[in-house]
Amino acid sequence: MAASIVRRSLLARHGPARRVAGLHSGPRRRRVQAPGAAGEQGDAPWVAVVGLEIHAQISSDSKLFSGSKVQFAASPNSLVSFFDASLPGTLPVLNRRCVEAAVMTGLALNCSINKKSLFDRKHYFYADLPAGYQITQQRLPVAVNGSLSYSFHAGGQKNQMVTRTVRIKQIQLEQDSGKSLHDDTRGQTLIDLNRAGVGLIEVVMEPDMSSGEEAAAAVRELQLILQTLGSSQAIMAEGQLRVDANVSVHHPGEAYGTRTEVKNINSARFLARAIDYEIKRQIKELENGGTIVNETRTFDYKLGCTLPMRDKEGKQDYRFMPEPNLPPLILYDNKSLPANVNHSQVVNIDWIRERLPDLPSVKRAKLVEQYGILPEHCLTLLNEDGLMQFFENVMKQTEMNPKKVIGWILIDTLGYLNQHRLTVKESPVSSFFLAELLNLLERREISSSAAQQVFRELWKGEGKTPLQIVKEKRLEVIQDQQELEAICQAVMEGHQKELYSQAAQERREQSIKAYVLFCMSPALVFSNNR
Amino acid sequence: MGPSQWRQVLLTCAIQDGSAHGRVSESLLRRFGRGIAGCPPERRGAARMLRASLREISAALREGQLSPTELCQSCLSFIKATKFLNAYITIAEDTALKQAEESEERYRRGQILGDLDGIPVAVKDNFSTAGIETTCASNMLKGYIPPYNATVVQKLLDQGAVLLGKTNLDEFAMGSGSTDGIFGPVRNPWSYSRQYREKCAQKAQTENEDSNWLITGGSSGGSAAAVSSFTCFAALGSDTGGSTRNPAAHCGVVGLKPTYGLISRHGLIPLVNSMDVPGILTRCVDDAAIILGVLAGHDPKDSTTVQDPFKPFELPSCMDASSLCVGVPKEYHAPGLSSETLALWSKAADLFENAGAKVIEVSLLHTQYSIICYHVLCTAEVASNMARFDGLEYGHRASGGESTEAMYAATRREGFNDVVRGRILAGNYFLLKQNYEKYFIKAQKVRRLIANDFVNVFSGGVDVLLTPTTLSDTIQYVEFIKEDNRTRSAQDDIFTQAANMAGLPAVSVPTALSEKGLPIGLQFIGRAFQEQQLLTVAKWFEKQVKFPVIELQGMMNHGHTGCHHQKSAFFS
């Protein structure tokens, strides 16, 4: 049958995919012109430097140093052990699961794992920090010197995928703080210690980035890695992944500018906006002859700007000190593992390495190889929570070419989901239904436009199968020659005037084929039945 | 309160306790006889019974010669009678009696929990005790009732021990006199002993009786006084720089500081986490070994305890001294060492040598720096450990305050004494970024050198080190407070501190009475985790020196000496 009724391929819609040069740029510092800042005064352009510190709550049953349960949105102060409330005389006991999660994360981020790491106390007074200090790993963290490669669609161009690498300075284990809830009407502050002592993995990135877009992409990739490993659920909205960004600007060739820290950004979207705002603010400030103060700022997502944090004013001296109640954390590998050791008492790096799941980058490469789809498609497939699984489920149930399927996934399904602000999980069109629909299309039992119509029907979520919808709406392609002829006859008879008009006469020869095809769709026939 | 009042108290107590005591006495007299002349008859048995060793009292309980309740009531009465010593902050009368009754029931059913079943003990008030106020002698924790027991307390209770109460100390264990707590100073029972009083009288002192009482040393002075005055059979102290051994020496009792990591610190409100060890105060070395056997061993709640299983041991009654090598560190001839103590120390060395032991002079070159080094490390950890006392979760909270910060400041000003605040201030200074290398790191390096000295000496074949515990015997309170806490701590911890730096076990053994009739203790320092060897030596030494028993009841009958060891066989 005619090729023209087949859905336009994805490539046709978007033009040929271009592979972007420098797909694997090395870890060296790249200096990218800051957004919208190109030599506004005719001087050298500004260069922005962005570094991230990311706190990921470890997904574990209990807290880092106590047996209290870890649970989101439990009733206030219901998950607090004596240690969490810093009762005098209580001591920390390291949670093995948290160590494993940190080692796993370190390995996934190409870090070298320190066989010996240490815990330190970081002191500051805050109402939701009961002990007056946080136990962290300042001097000798569990993992150092890693890297994270991430890709993104440069400038929002769907077909321009850029891949970059950011160096990981260190990964450390530390305690989360509690939460302060300010009751302004009664002038009270309420403390919830449920979160106090929950294990965190802090990932410190070198300042290798230069824009909000890059930072957001790096965070997204890290989030995927953490979720793949299961070391953190990394849901930003639930505060399981929190990002602090260090931002500064300078002219190329000159020393780095004074940096500010934008704290507690809890969505990827706000992260990019906060960083880009801060870059612009600093440039504007400097160009107006001002100076940048080394300060902590917060992002006001309603106003879309960063503001100085009042309660963090003044430089803190954290008075770091070794945590005397925890011996050094010793990790082993197959070589160093002592004989007759209690396995529940040790963490073996090699054992963890052997059991690492496929990381997102590997998964994407496998998708490219297995399905012949483009890397940028894979990027989106993985970046959208559950979309890859959805795609693979569809693939299992359909004979359609993956290159065609990917269009239905990325354009139609994802488009609909985004339009209705739904997650993949919430999709009213299941992978099973979509596969059935695509099979109908692939077997040419329905036309492309009919398929679109069925898809729209499916979206209503009425539970009808694609086949039911096709039957009900009589959308099947008519394969029977006689029936087709009859329809054509009927259409022609109903449109005698048009058929025999002068203009039609002239076009008849060229369009007869198209006309037949037009007639093949009963829906059109009936809708045009005048 | 003077000796006449002490006598008064004892007599009154005997009358007040009326019927209960009549009952106690009967059973006690059966076991311990009626041999103490001069005591009121109803007190004689109790007085002797309370002086028994752990093993003796345990046997008496097993044989049914007295009941745990009788024993507990007797101790409680005696605590009240000696209240002026100020040894106890909290007397847990109700829970103690309940525990004693439960113990009695176990004895009745023949299902006792262990050697300590029914035996009254006391615990320094810086160990958490579930349901019993734990103050650290500080306004900050006044009224604080912990919801859990320290592991060592739990272990005592699991053995059936009866917890009489919580003993006095310097605020947060910061001091060497047991004079700087909010509940006032502890008085040394030896202040009221016949031995001391007679010497005082000889000197025809005309001082006011109420001002010439002596300090116990500290910071576990309450526990030392409690054991020394027979109000309990064993007590827990804590030892960070000598806080168990120092008052033990001054009060004439045995004070054991076990190896760091052998006993759980869980529930011990910390002074210096890297040096704190629960200490054991008893009247003889055997008793210390029994308590050690109960307390030692890995605790999953304290990651710094060693994993190796601990096997409780019994000490041999004799020892072959010829295979022993005793080290005498020359640097311990410190300025301020009293000639009496020096003489005693050298006599003790001779004693070992005469018994066939190899006694050699050794060098612990860096011990002289341990006090100054300790000052930095201690205050730094104090600054950190005290940060939790902010008035939010527990303890004292200042009223008012315009902001959280103002509330913190007022709470900590009101809650801590000058000593604690001074150490917090100093510690925070040492931990500042610009000072950390200069002070904290340097002090840690010196600590390593101090510890290495010990390693070298022990690897050179020395089994135990013999040193003084303190510079001299104890002094009067009025003398002691002429210097501030910091000066006193620096002087008093001089021989004891290094063992904490190195984490080594050490024990102070009461050795002899001074010219003034006051106890002098000598210290043995052993190899890490070699408590058995250390205590074997200590027991042998104890047996040789025959330290005299404190004669408190003698106070009730001037001139009468009704006890076993009338004189120190060693020092005569």
Side-chain angles (χ1 to χ4, degrees):
Chain A
M1 271 243 179
S4 59
I5 60 161
V6 174
R7 273 170 57 94
R8 285 178 298 169
S9 83
L10 204 68
L11 294 186
R13 276 197 196 180
H14 299 289
R18 276 183 292 149
R19 281 185 188 272
V20 175
L23 213 65
H24 295 285
S25 69
R28 82 205 130 78
R29 171 174 312 291
R30 293 166 339 86
R31 298 187 168 172
V32 169
Q33 204 165 295
E40 279 166 20
Q41 294 183 318
D43 297 335
W46 290 98
V47 172
V49 176
V50 178
L52 301 178
E53 285 173 20
I54 299 157
H55 291 90
Q57 257 185 23
I58 298 169
S59 167
S60 70
D61 294 337
S62 57
K63 295 184 181 179
L64 181 56
F65 297 120
S66 79
S68 309
K69 267 180 72 176
V70 176
Q71 198 186 311
F72 182 68
S75 68
N77 294 312
S78 63
L79 309 172
V80 185
S81 70
F82 300 151
F83 175 79
D84 305 328
S86 79
L87 290 201
T90 52
L91 299 169
V93 178
L94 183 57
N95 180 344
R96 178 199 159 93
R97 154 71 194 157
C98 294
V99 176
E100 288 171 341
V103 170
M104 221 187 272
T105 308
L107 291 171
L109 296 178
N110 312 304
C111 292
S112 40
I113 306 296
N114 282 326
K115 297 243 179 86
K116 176 185 169 185
S117 61
L118 302 170
F119 290 95
D120 303 285
R121 291 180 178 180
K122 175 182 179 178
H123 298 89
Y124 61 95
F125 282 107
Y126 207 75
D128 53 27
L129 187 74
Y133 56 82
Q134 174 198 36
I135 303 178
T136 177
Q137 294 194 298
Q138 187 230 4
R139 289 166 299 162
L140 198 50
V142 68
V144 291
N145 298 335
S147 64
L148 169 70
S149 290
Y150 59 96
S151 303
F152 59 104
H153 300 288
Q157 298 293 303
K158 282 267 180 202
N159 53 355
Q160 277 240 20
M161 197 177 78
V162 185
T163 299
R164 301 239 162 88
T165 299
V166 57
R167 289 168 299 158
I168 307 291
K169 184 167 180 253
Q170 67 183 58
I171 294 176
Q172 64 200 45
L173 278 165
E174 62 184 36
Q175 297 171 296
D176 209 341
S177 64
K179 276 182 186 163
S180 296
L181 308 158
H182 303 289
D183 179 350
D184 288 334
T185 46
R186 268 178 279 183
Q188 281 184 325
T189 298
L190 304 166
I191 309 294
D192 179 6
L193 294 181
N194 281 353
R195 204 181 66 177
V198 170
L200 294 178
I201 294 171
E202 179 175 349
V203 179
V204 182
M205 294 182 180
E206 298 283 5
D208 294 344
M209 289 163 286
S210 55
S211 69
E213 187 180 43
E214 285 184 339
V219 168
R220 179 62 187 133
E221 184 68 9
L222 177 66
Q223 190 180 29
L224 283 177
I225 290 172
L226 294 170
Q227 288 167 344
T228 305
L229 298 172
S231 53
S232 171
Q233 287 174 279
I235 303 167
M236 287 189 96
E238 291 184 8
Q240 288 156 344
L241 197 71
R242 301 191 287 272
V243 183
D244 301 339
N246 291 309
V247 179
S248 70
V249 299
H250 65 282
H251 289 302
E254 291 176 10
Y256 285 1
T258 306
R259 63 180 204 185
T260 60
E261 188 177 15
V262 186
K263 269 215 175 290
N264 295 328
I265 309 163
N266 55 8
S267 98
R269 207 154 46 95
F270 293 150
L271 173 66
R273 277 170 60 193
I275 290 171
D276 288 341
Y277 175 86
E278 184 58 19
I279 292 170
K280 277 185 194 151
R281 184 192 71 84
Q282 289 189 11
I283 292 169
K284 200 172 160 196
E285 185 72 37
L286 291 169
E287 291 191 337
N288 290 337
T291 51
I292 303 302
V293 194
N294 181 352
E295 64 183 353
T296 304
R297 299 174 72 88
T298 179
F299 182 68
D300 187 317
Y301 66 95
K302 284 179 196 149
L303 300 175
C305 66
T306 65
L307 300 166
M309 279 171 87
R310 244 179 268 137
D311 60 339
K312 299 269 180 176
E313 266 173 28
K315 252 191 110 151
Q316 292 250 24
D317 189 321
Y318 291 118
R319 292 156 287 132
F320 283 101
M321 189 192 85
E323 167 55 66
N325 294 321
L326 289 167
L329 169 58
I330 305 292
L331 303 173
Y332 298 91
D333 56 19
N334 288 340
K335 266 191 233 159
S336 66
L337 194 69
N340 62 46
V341 72
N342 182 350
H343 283 270
S344 69
Q345 295 287 334
V346 296
V347 171
N348 182 343
I349 302 165
D350 288 331
W351 196 88
I352 293 175
R353 195 195 313 272
E354 286 154 20
R355 283 159 183 79
L356 280 184
D358 276 351
L359 294 178
S361 56
V362 175
K363 272 193 215 161
R364 282 190 287 259
K366 282 188 177 174
L367 287 174
V368 169
E369 193 177 326
Q370 186 180 350
Y371 299 111
I373 54 179
L374 296 173
E376 50 264 45
H377 299 154
C378 302
L379 185 65
T380 312
L381 275 185
L382 261 77
N383 276 356
E384 299 298 329
D385 210 8
L387 196 60
M388 185 194 70
Q389 192 62 43
F390 188 89
F391 167 73
E392 292 206 295
N393 285 344
V394 173
M395 283 311 301
K396 275 181 214 155
Q397 304 169 74
T398 180
E399 311 99 72
M400 189 183 265
N401 183 324
K403 288 180 186 169
K404 284 198 265 172
V405 174
I406 198 75
W408 279 92
I409 301 283
L410 296 186
I411 308 297
D412 300 288
T413 310
L414 190 57
Y416 264 95
L417 288 171
N418 287 344
Q419 200 182 327
H420 295 88
R421 293 178 179 257
L422 294 175
T423 64
V424 175
K425 260 192 202 159
E426 295 164 334
S427 171
V429 182
S430 68
S431 59
F432 179 75
F433 281 3
L434 182 61
E436 188 182 314
L437 173 65
L438 298 187
N439 285 340
L440 291 173
L441 184 62
E442 187 67 11
R443 292 186 209 120
R444 302 184 178 175
E445 289 172 23
I446 55 173
S447 71
S448 167
S449 50
Q452 286 289 342
Q453 201 187 345
V454 174
F455 188 79
R456 281 194 296 274
E457 283 297 318
L458 282 174
W459 196 262
K460 292 177 185 163
E462 289 166 348
K464 291 175 190 158
T465 69
L467 197 60
Q468 279 173 326
I469 295 169
V470 168
K471 293 259 194 251
E472 269 177 31
K473 304 261 174 192
R474 304 193 57 193
L475 296 171
E476 310 94 324
V477 169
I478 300 155
Q479 312 263 11
D480 187 296
Q481 184 107 19
Q482 286 183 346
E483 194 181 344
L484 265 180
E485 277 174 12
I487 291 168
C488 288
Q489 199 60 46
V491 171
M492 284 191 285
E493 278 166 13
H495 296 78
Q496 288 291 318
K497 214 193 253 172
E498 294 90 331
L499 205 58
Y500 293 106
S501 71
Q502 188 60 34
Q505 194 78 1
E506 286 165 10
R507 282 200 311 268
R508 198 178 309 153
E509 291 307 314
Q510 298 102 311
S511 58
I512 189 72
K513 201 172 175 186
Y515 205 72
V516 168
L517 290 169
F518 169 75
C519 295
M520 278 172 65
S521 169
L524 281 179
V525 174
F526 294 119
S527 66
N528 289 333
N529 197 2
R530 32 188 162 118
Chain B
M1 188 171 297
S4 55
Q5 281 158 297
W6 158 275
R7 185 167 70 242
Q8 199 61 42
V9 167
L10 281 183
L11 293 170
T12 328
C13 162
I15 295 158
Q16 279 171 346
D17 282 352
S19 61
H21 259 282
R23 198 158 61 87
V24 174
S25 303
E26 277 315 301
S27 67
L28 297 176
L29 290 174
R30 275 201 302 280
R31 179 172 178 84
F32 295 101
R34 297 169 188 272
I36 307 174
C39 272
E42 72 275 17
R43 295 293 314 167
R44 283 176 206 151
R48 290 200 62 173
M49 179 265 313
L50 293 178
R51 286 209 313 259
S53 72
L54 273 180
R55 206 177 299 283
E56 284 169 344
I57 200 71
S58 183
L61 288 168
R62 267 178 233 258
E63 290 164 26
Q65 293 180 357
L66 80 163
S67 76
T69 311
E70 287 169 340
L71 186 59
C72 178
Q73 280 169 338
S74 216
C75 285
L76 288 169
S77 307
F78 212 49
I79 289 172
K80 285 175 198 161
T82 56
K83 207 168 172 57
F84 63 92
L85 293 176
N86 205 14
Y88 289 80
I89 290 174
T90 303
I91 304 166
E93 184 159 3
D94 294 344
T95 50
L97 285 170
K98 196 165 164 276
Q99 287 163 356
E101 277 163 31
E102 286 164 5
S103 170
E104 196 156 326
E105 182 58 29
R106 288 192 293 270
Y107 274 100
R108 209 171 290 142
R109 280 186 281 138
Q111 294 173 325
I112 62 165
L113 294 171
D115 286 341
L116 297 185
D117 210 329
I119 293 179
V121 297
V123 171
K124 190 178 179 179
D125 206 24
N126 60 350
F127 287 93
S128 291
T129 44
I132 300 172
E133 192 178 349
T134 299
T135 67
C136 285
S138 175
N139 276 322
M140 188 57 91
L141 283 179
K142 214 171 165 183
Y144 167 65
I145 298 176
Y148 76 101
N149 278 323
T151 298
V152 284
V153 171
Q154 192 59 51
K155 283 187 167 186
L156 290 174
L157 296 178
D158 288 347
Q159 287 283 314
V162 172
L163 177 59
L164 295 171
K166 307 295 291 293
T167 58
N168 205 347
L169 66 155
D170 291 298
E171 184 163 332
F172 282 101
M174 295 182 205
S176 60
S178 301
T179 50
D180 281 333
I182 57 158
F183 300 102
V186 185
R187 295 182 180 211
N188 193 323
W190 285 85
S191 313
Y192 308 101
S193 69
R194 183 193 60 77
Q195 291 101 322
Y196 175 63
R197 283 289 154 186
E198 276 180 5
K199 302 279 180 182
C200 283
Q202 279 168 19
K203 284 188 183 171
Q205 284 174 332
T206 52
E207 296 166 58
N208 177 2
E209 273 195 349
D210 200 32
S211 67
N212 64 5
W213 56 271
L214 309 151
I215 61 148
T216 54
S219 64
S220 311
S223 289
V227 172
S228 166
S229 62
F230 308 110
T231 59
C232 64
F233 289 85
L236 294 186
S238 60
D239 195 313
T240 312
S243 278
T244 292
R245 289 161 286 158
N246 174 290
H250 286 329
C251 293
V253 298
V254 173
L256 171 64
K257 172 228 173 282
T259 309
Y260 185 86
L262 184 64
I263 299 191
S264 170
R265 291 179 296 113
H266 171 72
L268 166 61
I269 299 174
L271 175 57
V272 184
N273 306 277
S274 64
M275 297 183 212
D276 290 342
V277 182
I280 297 166
L281 293 123
T282 54
R283 289 193 287 268
C284 64
V285 175
D286 268 330
D287 288 0
I290 292 172
I291 300 290
L292 180 72
V294 170
L295 302 183
H298 177 66
D299 178 10
K301 290 177 182 147
D302 178 358
S303 308
T304 62
T305 52
V306 291
Q307 304 267 349
D308 310 337
F310 177 83
K311 209 167 150 271
F313 50 79
E314 242 179 70
L315 299 172
S317 47
C318 52
M319 179 188 76
D320 176 17
S322 66
S323 62
L324 189 71
C325 181
V326 178
V328 178
K330 59 180 180 190
E331 288 83 2
Y332 282 55
H333 290 272
L337 179 64
S338 78
S339 54
E340 274 184 300
T341 307
L342 177 60
L344 198 60
W345 180 22
S346 109
K347 227 169 163 253
D350 292 344
L351 184 71
F352 278 100
E353 202 159 48
N354 295 338
K358 193 173 155 198
V359 177
I360 57 168
E361 189 182 73
V362 296
S363 174
L364 294 166
L365 198 57
H366 299 94
T367 290
Q368 56 183 309
Y369 305 113
S370 77
I371 293 296
I372 190 77
C373 173
Y374 177 65
H375 183 68
V376 175
L377 297 178
C378 169
T379 55
E381 285 199 33
V382 163
S384 176
N385 288 330
M386 296 295 147
R388 71 189 54 212
F389 298 103
D390 57 11
L392 285 184
E393 284 83 12
Y394 43 79
H396 177 68
R397 183 193 294 183
S399 54
E402 284 154 21
S403 65
T404 311
E405 284 74 18
M407 192 270 285
Y408 286 160
T411 296
R412 291 164 69 79
R413 189 176 57 243
E414 293 167 12
F416 295 136
N417 70 6
D418 288 350
V419 176
V420 179
R421 285 211 306 281
R423 290 199 192 185
I424 291 171
L425 194 66
N428 276 318
Y429 176 79
F430 296 137
L431 289 177
L432 284 178
K433 208 172 174 187
Q434 79 256 27
N435 295 334
Y436 186 74
E437 282 281 331
K438 207 159 60 176
Y439 295 102
F440 191 82
I441 294 289
K442 198 176 226 173
Q444 279 193 316
K445 287 177 180 168
V446 175
R447 180 180 184 176
R448 173 67 66 194
L449 292 175
I450 293 168
N452 285 348
D453 281 351
F454 284 103
V455 171
N456 293 337
V457 163
F458 286 124
S459 64
V462 169
D463 297 307
V464 289
L465 292 163
L466 172 65
T467 80
T469 310
T470 55
L471 288 167
S472 66
D473 55 3
T474 189
I475 58 172
Q476 291 177 4
Y477 176 71
V478 288
E479 281 300 311
F480 184 79
I481 56 170
K482 284 178 183 167
E483 298 280 4
D484 67 9
N485 179 293
R486 197 180 136 196
T487 311
R488 286 301 182 198
S489 298
Q491 292 166 348
D492 297 337
D493 290 346
I494 188 158
F495 299 129
T496 46
Q497 214 300 306
N500 297 82
M501 288 281 180
L504 299 172
V507 60
S508 177
V509 180
T511 306
L513 293 185
S514 68
E515 287 292 329
K516 283 187 274 179
L518 295 174
I520 294 176
L522 291 179
Q523 175 182 235
F524 296 94
I525 304 172
R527 295 179 171 150
F529 301 104
Q530 299 300 316
E531 270 78 2
Q532 185 162 9
Q533 183 182 44
L534 176 72
L535 292 181
T536 300
V537 173
K539 182 180 172 178
W540 180 86
F541 182 72
E542 177 186 52
K543 204 171 157 191
Q544 310 303 310
V545 299
K546 298 190 179 64
F547 181 75
V549 170
I550 184 170
E551 292 174 35
L552 290 176
Q553 74 277 31
M555 294 308 302
M556 290 176 283
N557 186 12
H558 285 288
H560 200 284
T561 57
C563 71
H564 312 302
H565 313 293
Q566 299 188 358
K567 280 181 182 173
S568 166
F570 183 55
F571 205 58
S572 56

